[in-house]
Amino acid sequence: MSLTTPQLRQLLTSRPFHFFPRIDSTQNYALQWLRDGAPSGAVVIADEQLMGRGRHGRTWHTPPGVALAISIILYPKVEALSQVTMLGALAIAETLDGLGATDIGIKWPNDVQLNGKKISGVLPEAVWDGDQLRGVVLGMGINVRVDFTDTELERTAISIEPALGIKISRAELLVALLAHIDALLILLGTGELYNRWKSRLNILGESITMMDVNGLIKGTAEDVDPQGALLIHAADGTLHRVVAGDIALGE
Ligand code: BTN
């Protein structure tokens, strides 16, 4: 079923939102809305994105009718900023639990995986006034029925409906996701949010290869700290603290 503004107005009750059948990126719209003073929890939703953005400048594909693409505006304290990513990935993981998925994990830092394949990505983008944090736009894309057959992503990406053998309404998925986000917002900045996120990570103890801004690191994914940084024990005995990067399993 297509998403529509009247249907979303009914389901989202008093939450401020904008819905676009087609947009370049919900992130861009939400970033401007934040700068214009959007209220906390305001959300931008699109059926299709023409220039969806992923981490590290990558493209995020959102074909029409088959995915959930949202950007939610939040105003965390600056000390809790690093937990916004955790909140996003955890909210998605818990929403998917609620659909009966049994093998949901988080691949550091913020890819939500089902059966070891990426089902969702999270993109937090902060807005600053000098050194003052104005707010954050938390972007989330979930593959609902994106068909990856015969594409370069077939080996690594997956969608909810074919994976779980169910049909779901994107509007209801959105409502469930927003409820999980609201519940986790109360925990933002706490050890409980960190622990719940950490318990879902599927790479701790694994041999990994990490590409970060300083190059390649090979070693064991030993731990994550409360800011979400990954601690890698390299083969030469050194401990690396990495705040952003891409991981591949194996050496
Ligand atoms: C990633 O895994 O690289 C993050 C992907 C984030 C995609 C979402 S879809 C909604 C929002 N709008 C965008 O342009 N990107 C995010």
Side-chain angles (χ1 to χ4, degrees):
M1 193 171 131
S2 304
L3 296 170
T4 64
T5 296
Q7 167 211 32
L8 291 170
R9 167 60 49 232
Q10 243 185 5
L11 288 170
L12 301 185
T13 58
S14 59
R15 182 186 296 269
F17 75 92
H18 286 289
F19 166 68
F20 297 92
R22 179 186 278 174
I23 196 171
D24 56 350
S25 159
T26 55
Q27 288 294 101
N28 299 346
Y29 192 93
L31 285 166
Q32 189 55 49
W33 196 8
L34 188 160
R35 291 188 189 97
D36 292 343
S40 180
V43 65
V44 182
I45 306 149
D47 188 54
E48 177 184 8
Q49 293 187 115
L50 299 176
M51 291 172 62
R53 291 193 277 113
R55 292 168 62 227
H56 305 307
R58 294 194 194 103
T59 302
W60 182 265
H61 294 285
T62 311
V66 293
L68 193 61
I70 71 164
S71 296
I72 183 161
I73 295 163
L74 302 173
Y75 297 96
K77 293 203 175 98
V78 71
E79 313 82 74
L81 181 58
S82 61
Q83 282 203 351
V84 170
T85 296
M86 300 178 194
L87 182 149
L90 190 57
I92 294 166
E94 293 183 353
T95 303
L96 296 175
D97 290 344
L99 295 177
T102 52
D103 182 16
I104 296 289
I106 299 174
K107 182 182 172 200
W108 184 90
N110 56 15
D111 285 357
V112 183
Q113 295 188 324
L114 172 62
N115 304 336
K117 292 184 173 184
K118 182 162 175 168
I119 198 153
S120 177
V122 176
L123 180 68
E125 294 183 306
V127 176
W128 298 87
D129 252 346
D131 59 0
Q132 294 292 308
L133 178 66
R134 286 273 297 271
V136 185
V137 170
L138 178 61
M140 301 165 146
I142 305 183
N143 305 324
V144 175
R145 58 187 88 92
V146 183
D147 186 2
F148 294 108
T149 315
D150 296 332
T151 72
E152 55 179 348
L153 296 175
E154 186 170 9
R155 274 189 328 109
T156 55
I158 196 166
S159 286
I160 298 175
E161 288 193 350
L164 298 183
I166 56 172
K167 288 263 171 242
I168 57 166
S169 132
R170 286 176 299 152
E172 282 167 22
L173 182 68
L174 171 65
V175 170
L177 176 61
L178 292 173
H180 281 282
I181 292 172
D182 287 348
L184 290 172
L185 269 176
I186 298 160
L187 300 177
L188 196 62
T190 67
E192 185 177 341
L193 183 72
Y194 159 69
N195 286 329
R196 272 163 68 174
W197 170 74
K198 181 174 167 176
S199 73
R200 312 290 301 230
L201 290 176
N202 56 13
I203 50 132
L204 295 184
E206 302 286 338
S207 291
I208 58 159
T209 301
M210 153 75 77
M211 179 59 108
D212 84 343
V213 283
N214 301 313
L216 214 60
I217 307 169
K218 287 171 189 267
T220 305
E222 194 144 288
D223 204 355
V224 279
D225 69 18
Q227 282 70 46
L230 182 64
L231 306 176
I232 304 173
H233 202 142
D236 65 5
T238 51
L239 194 66
H240 296 259
R241 181 180 186 273
V242 181
V243 291
D246 276 328
I247 287 182
L249 279 176
E251 290 166 24

